[in-house]
Amino acid sequence: MNATKPDRTADPAGGESGEVHAHVPVLLRRCLDLLAPALEARPGAVVVDATLGMGGHSEALLRRFPDARLVGLDRDPEALARSGRRLAPFGDRATLVHAVYDELPEVLARLGVPRIDGILFDLGVSSLQLDEAGRGFAYAQDAPLDMRMDPTRGITAAEVLNTYPPGDLVRILREYGEERFAKRVVDAIVRERTREPFTDSARLVELVRNAIPAATRRTGGNPAKRTFQALRIEVNQELAVLERALPAAVGALAVGGRIVVLSYHSLEDRMTKRALAVGATSKAPPDLPVVPEELKPTLKLLTRASEGATDEEIAENPRAASARLRAAERVREDA
């Protein structure tokens, strides 16, 4: 999932930023193009990068839209520190905040920003988190089973494995990891944690591999990836946070403002599809001859369905292979 080659972030004018970064922003050009009509139309437009990460999307936004101001959110203090150094040349045009993206209304209120003109979500685990072995996100490297995006708070993956009732673990693996052998994996986890609590990722990877039938292990990559995805989502409450964040983001948009969401698995994409569809659907009965303004949709969908990356983008950044993009524009205020 990580980029394997350095990124020299493209300057919209055709040049380069001059600094080599290990992170290649996913679907960068498409994201910028979708946000452009909202950010170019208003001097001093405010755009939110709700998932700042390594700052690649934010840097490109600030370069392409020189009149825009950026608010960047991230729950990971290390990501904030690194992106802060990356975005330092932009001075007070970039405001970075330690926050989870469902806290957007509170952040905007503190900053005195009544409405925003654009918002970008790049969901899931970041390249920084995957590349730092000690964080426990990557099943390919042995590390403590942490998986917290904000290592200063919350429970760890080890605590989930060692303390959750078996039924809850089965539900998590089925719902968040779409693991069809969840019961077999959990039975093995419960047996092993009774013998010795889980502390590191290598032991869990081996356990999952042994619990999955041999015929299934021959395809689809490392069989532990679904269990690791499920644990990560549970530890960070990613879907619950996203469910709150999407309507909050739409509610913060000014008329003409745009939202762009990049997701990396079907659970996120389905949730995004539903949230945007709600705003893009008329509340009027289907046989009403004239639709009152207050019953008209508040959103216009900008993508007919979810969009994926091109072959060239996937070659440059393998993480883009699973990316799905959806976008919408705010077309009226709520009644």
Side-chain angles (χ1 to χ4, degrees), residues 279 281-285 288 290-298 332 335:
T281 302
S282 171
K283 297 178 178 62
L288 200 65
V290 179
V291 178
E293 187 67 23
E294 65 270 18
L295 298 182
K296 292 179 180 179
T298 56
R332 73 168 184 85

Side-chain angles (χ1 to χ4, degrees), residues 15-308:
E16 294 179 330
S17 69
E19 181 180 358
V20 175
H21 298 284
H23 173 57
V24 181
V26 174
L27 287 166
L28 177 62
R29 180 64 64 180
R30 182 61 174 143
C31 291
L32 297 178
D33 289 347
L34 283 165
L35 291 167
L39 302 184
E40 291 173 341
R42 301 180 176 100
V46 177
V47 59
V48 173
D49 186 341
T51 48
L52 187 62
M54 298 287 281
H57 283 108
S58 285
E59 181 182 29
L61 283 164
L62 289 164
R63 287 187 180 279
R64 176 158 170 181
F65 308 109
D67 293 327
R69 295 166 48 214
L70 178 126
V71 177
L73 311 184
D74 208 292
R75 67 170 85 184
D76 188 335
E78 177 63 20
L80 283 169
R82 293 199 186 193
S83 56
R85 292 191 291 271
R86 183 173 190 166
L87 302 178
F90 299 98
D92 60 6
R93 288 182 57 210
T95 302
L96 310 188
V97 183
H98 183 210
V100 188
Y101 41 79
D102 66 337
E103 298 171 322
L104 177 67
E106 293 81 4
V107 170
L108 295 178
R110 288 201 306 269
L111 296 176
V113 177
R115 280 285 189 267
I116 60 175
D117 302 288
I119 184 165
L120 171 66
F121 290 86
D122 186 7
L123 301 171
V125 64
S126 73
S127 297
L128 167 64
Q129 291 155 348
L130 283 171
D131 291 342
E132 290 196 348
R135 304 291 292 273
F137 287 98
Y139 46 78
Q141 307 173 78
D142 190 21
L145 279 166
D146 192 313
M147 297 193 194
R148 290 174 297 171
M149 292 178 176
D150 182 350
T152 67
R153 59 183 176 179
I155 63 171
T156 67
E159 290 175 278
V160 171
L161 285 171
N162 293 325
T163 66
Y164 274 32
D168 287 348
L169 288 175
V170 170
R171 174 185 57 80
I172 290 165
L173 264 61
R174 282 180 177 160
E175 291 184 8
Y176 300 161
E178 300 177 291
E179 175 56 78
R180 59 194 177 106
F181 299 106
K183 182 68 165 57
R184 293 177 62 149
V185 172
V186 170
D187 286 345
I189 288 171
V190 172
R191 284 195 304 271
E192 279 295 302
R193 77 184 188 185
T194 302
R195 184 177 66 84
E196 181 185 352
F198 284 90
T199 59
D200 60 83
S201 57
R203 182 177 168 217
L204 178 61
V205 169
E206 186 63 20
L207 178 147
V208 174
R209 186 186 303 277
N210 292 335
I212 302 295
T216 303
R217 295 201 304 263
R218 295 191 190 105
T219 59
N222 193 315
K225 65 183 179 182
R226 294 180 294 275
T227 294
F228 271 63
Q229 173 180 295
L231 287 172
R232 190 200 82 221
I233 290 173
E234 173 65 16
V235 165
N236 297 289
Q237 293 293 293
E238 291 175 44
L239 295 181
V241 168
L242 183 61
E243 190 171 26
R244 295 188 294 268
L246 289 171
V250 170
L253 285 175
V255 173
R258 292 186 165 204
I259 177 173
V260 176
V261 183
L262 282 166
S263 57
Y264 297 88
H265 58 74
S266 59
L267 300 170
E268 293 171 338
D269 185 52
R270 284 198 297 267
M271 188 172 288
T272 302
K273 178 182 179 180
R274 286 196 300 269
L276 298 185
V278 167
T281 302
S282 171
K283 297 178 178 62
D287 57 348
L288 200 65
V290 179
V291 178
E293 187 67 23
E294 65 270 18
L295 298 182
K296 292 179 180 179
T298 56
L299 292 179
K300 177 179 72 173
L301 299 181
L302 301 173
T303 48
R304 186 181 298 273
S306 64
E307 298 180 359

